Amino acid sequence: MSEFLKKAKSALKGKREQLSAGTGPQEQNAPGQSDSPSIIQPASALDILRYRYHHGTNLGSVFVLEKWLSPAMFVDGAGDGSELDAVNTSLRQSGLAATRQKWENHWNTAVSDSDWFWLVNSAHCTSIRLPIGYFTLGPTYCSGTPFDGQPAQVYVNAWAAVKTFVLRARSNGIGVLIDLHALPGGANRDAHSGTSSGNADLWNNPANLALSQKCLLFVVQEIRSASELNNGVVGLELCNEAVNNAPGLYDWYDSVIAAISQIDSSLPIYISDAWDLSSAISYANRKGALQVGTANPVIVDTHKYYCFSDADRQQSPQQIIARIPKELGELDGHDGSVVDRGAAQVIVGEYSCVLDEQSWSKVDASERPGLTNQFGQAQIRRWQERSGGSYFWTFNMNWNDGGEWEFSQQTKSSSISPPTHLTLSRDQAQAKIADAQNSRNGAKGDAQAAHNSYWDQHAPGVVMEHWRFGAGWDVGFSDAVSFFQARVSSVLTGTGADKIGLLDIWIRRRVIEGGQGGQYLWEFEQGLRQGISDFYRLIGI
């Protein structure tokens, strides 16, 4: 019970005086001051697809080209390395029909049947982050942009290719995070924003911001209505790698999320942290406050690379590896209590096993494979501990062995490995579920007794509502079972089992759906979290 008591002590901090006075932040954040009927339903297949722990990869340089990843798409004379450079040069040299055919073949063959088999059965991926551009949506969304005119005609079938990709992924039990990677004007100055302008002209440009919002709302409408998408999209990312201190960033997020909520308030929304994770988490706390009510869950996407800065280059591989266990510390004090603070959820949308050659020069070459393995394993352990999922950059490279940039290569070398629950056989998963169910009543009794005893000792004379803890525990335990047995019971396809990954936003949803209110709503939340934790303790993950 040590973990439970640790959580209970954390919950006590700052509450003792509030309990004596009968007031506190939990009252302000509660959905209501009295209970209403619960509308909790068992987790659906789409719920599990969206809220489970995401172990995946990016599919880079497919719908948004990057020359270093897909040089074959850049004919001689293409100059710089952006999508627009590639398409304009091909149009000049080969014409529209041949260029369109080349691009469509690139989209449609990016992941083969054997690749899908490997992603499911060897890599054990749960989802793929799919970068797209505004031009991917077709000529309508290219008007007035550098893609206007003949370049736009290359993309008349691009959105259909995205829908086909999502459908194929879903048929293999894999979800897709649609990432609007390239926005009009560019959310950042890099070529993966679609052009080689070197400018981040999305910000402070009303026309570009409005077109970006129009693009995002089109995608949301499609996710809601298109049969290829509505059961396979795990979320929508509003932009990729916004420049640090982008002017008006959070006002734009507010505007877009408000508009999206009018179409589909259930769709998880992913936001770039703009290289400032602390500020993005604080924003997520505000968007995830209980008083906001039913709203799109907001997940912060942060990217973790250790090869680009001078500070990274000056460190040895061992020094960099030693930093990993402290990563995502910005979450501390922001997650773990939606009643008090709102929800705070983070995923690592990009990471790799790459270190700069200056770092590698500090060790003997013979040490590189082993240190690469340590580096990858340290990252995935930390991402599993403190995030809702991670996506390696990138799936593969088209020109040779991608080495430390390539998910397939790093998985095969065991530098990157899936969480153990994803590798379980059907029989193993069923046995764990049976063991946990057999121990359920005893585990609940122990948790309830510990909860009651702790608060009786630390808040003597205060009449609480400990029954809320028990009610929450039942919901949490049942939810954990539903996620874990989804594949065994054929709710989702494939072997293995799933774990609740986007925990804070799932807890927030359940607290709202539970209909409970008042001063002791926090007991329901603690019970929820404890029920989930107890299930995982009983099955040993």
Side-chain angles (χ1 to χ4, degrees):
M1 302 305 296
S2 60
E3 183 64 24
F4 170 79
L5 291 175
K6 186 189 301 181
K7 292 180 180 179
K9 289 176 182 177
S10 175
L12 176 64
K13 184 178 181 181
K15 279 193 169 78
R16 192 171 295 163
E17 295 82 0
Q18 298 161 7
L19 289 168
S20 299
T23 61
Q26 65 271 25
E27 289 184 297
Q28 299 169 5
N29 290 347
Q33 292 305 306
S34 59
D35 294 347
S36 58
S38 171
I39 59 170
I40 288 176
Q41 296 293 323
S44 68
L46 186 58
D47 290 335
I48 297 167
L49 199 77
R50 287 177 169 176
Y51 287 88
R52 64 186 176 178
Y53 184 83
H54 295 298
H55 175 70
T57 184
N58 285 269
L59 194 64
S61 199
V62 174
F63 291 98
V64 181
L65 292 175
E66 298 186 46
K67 189 174 184 178
W68 68 288
L69 293 174
S70 302
M73 296 298 292
F74 291 77
V75 296
D76 291 343
D80 293 323
S82 73
E83 176 92 22
L84 186 63
D85 296 319
V87 75
N88 275 336
T89 306
S90 182
L91 286 168
R92 287 194 301 269
Q93 295 190 12
S94 303
L96 176 59
T99 297
R100 182 188 294 163
Q101 181 60 47
K102 181 178 181 179
W103 258 244
E104 291 180 2
N105 182 66
H106 181 66
W107 303 329
N108 295 330
T109 62
V111 182
S112 67
D113 288 343
S114 61
D115 288 332
W116 284 115
F117 184 86
W118 181 85
L119 286 165
V120 171
N121 296 290
S122 296
H124 300 282
C125 282
T126 64
S127 56
I128 288 173
R129 183 171 179 257
L130 183 67
I132 67 169
Y134 65 93
F135 39 85
T136 311
L137 306 181
T140 299
Y141 297 91
C142 296
S143 179
T145 77
F147 285 84
D148 200 357
Q150 196 175 40
Q153 299 306 312
V154 173
Y155 302 94
V156 292
N157 297 316
W159 182 242
V162 171
K163 292 198 287 188
T164 298
F165 178 86
V166 174
L167 188 63
R168 289 181 70 197
R170 184 64 181 86
S171 71
N172 284 282
I174 293 176
V176 175
L177 170 58
I178 295 179
D179 159 37
L180 191 57
H181 208 77
L183 290 85
N188 56 62
R189 300 177 182 88
D190 296 315
H192 54 67
S193 282
T195 75
S196 298
S197 72
N199 299 318
D201 287 334
L202 171 65
W203 314 111
N204 276 340
N205 186 310
N208 284 340
L209 290 169
L211 178 55
S212 296
Q213 179 164 323
K214 181 181 177 182
C215 291
L216 290 162
L217 295 184
F218 167 77
V219 174
V220 174
Q221 290 278 15
E222 286 282 282
I223 292 170
R224 186 170 179 83
S225 61
S227 59
E228 301 96 328
L229 301 178
N230 53 27
N231 289 315
V233 174
V234 301
L236 173 63
E237 185 155 357
L238 304 188
C239 72
N240 171 69
E241 292 186 351
V243 290
N244 186 241
N245 294 319
L249 173 68
Y250 290 106
D251 289 338
W252 183 70
Y253 283 166
D254 280 340
S255 174
V256 173
I257 293 171
I260 289 173
S261 71
Q262 297 300 308
I263 302 170
D264 184 355
S265 62
S266 70
L267 179 67
I269 301 300
Y270 290 69
I271 61 169
S272 166
D273 70 351
W275 308 104
D276 180 358
L277 183 54
S278 292
S279 295
I281 288 172
S282 295
Y283 176 79
N285 276 147
R286 295 193 296 274
K287 301 301 282 188
L290 285 182
Q291 61 263 37
V292 173
T294 301
N296 294 92
V298 173
I299 301 99
V300 177
D301 174 15
T302 191
H303 295 176
K304 293 296 182 182
Y305 290 117
Y306 302 89
C307 56
F308 294 126
S309 73
D310 288 337
D312 289 335
R313 296 185 186 103
Q314 291 169 8
Q315 290 192 316
S316 69
Q318 294 94 330
Q319 288 174 310
I320 292 172
I321 292 167
R323 289 163 47 191
I324 306 301
K326 298 179 182 178
E327 290 285 22
L328 307 183
E330 295 91 341
L331 275 166
D332 295 346
H334 288 272
D335 65 344
S337 179
V338 299
V339 170
D340 288 330
R341 297 186 285 266
Q345 193 71 64
V346 170
I347 61 106
V348 180
E350 295 183 19
Y351 73 104
S352 76
C353 285
V354 176
L355 298 177
D356 189 81
E357 290 304 317
Q358 289 186 39
S359 292
W360 286 121
S361 70
K362 296 173 174 46
V363 299
D364 190 272
S366 64
E367 298 179 79
R368 184 162 180 161
L371 287 169
T372 299
N373 183 274
Q374 291 178 39
F375 180 44
Q377 288 294 314
Q379 288 186 88
I380 62 169
R381 280 195 301 272
R382 187 55 176 167
W383 310 156
Q384 290 173 35
E385 289 169 355
R386 287 305 271 133
S387 81
S390 61
Y391 298 90
F392 195 93
W393 186 274
T394 183
F395 174 44
N396 58 24
M397 300 173 74
N398 293 343
W399 53 281
N400 72 349
D401 173 4
E404 291 140 3
W405 283 112
E406 190 171 87
F407 179 69
S408 56
Q409 178 64 28
Q410 294 308 304
T411 299
K412 292 170 185 175
S413 69
S414 299
S415 294
I416 299 300
S417 56
T420 55
H421 60 270
L422 295 177
T423 67
L424 296 173
S425 70
R426 182 176 294 266
D427 287 345
Q428 288 172 323
Q430 286 177 321
K432 286 181 177 293
I433 294 166
D435 288 345
Q437 293 286 28
N438 289 336
S439 301
R440 176 173 183 156
N441 290 338
K444 180 184 178 182
D446 290 344
Q448 184 75 67
H451 178 82
N452 296 356
S453 174
Y454 183 86
W455 290 108
D456 288 348
Q457 293 177 40
H458 290 84
V462 177
V463 180
M464 298 188 189
E465 297 169 352
H466 296 328
W467 62 268
R468 295 186 188 276
F469 178 91
W473 193 99
D474 281 331
V475 173
F477 192 95
S478 294
D479 282 346
V481 172
S482 293
F483 275 70
F484 197 79
Q485 71 180 9
R487 305 190 200 198
V488 171
S489 57
S490 299
V491 172
L492 296 177
T493 59
T495 59
D498 286 300
K499 183 178 182 179
I500 302 171
L502 302 179
L503 182 61
D504 239 37
I505 57 173
W506 181 256
I507 292 288
R508 181 188 187 276
R509 173 174 158 176
R510 285 317 210 191
V511 168
I512 291 173
E513 292 175 338
Q516 298 199 20
Q519 181 177 354
Y520 297 105
L521 176 60
W522 60 270
E523 292 196 77
F524 179 76
E525 181 184 352
Q526 281 195 6
L528 264 170
R529 293 182 183 274
Q530 191 62 41
I532 294 169
S533 176
D534 280 345
F535 175 77
Y536 296 137
R537 175 180 59 80
L538 290 171
I539 64 173
I541 65 170

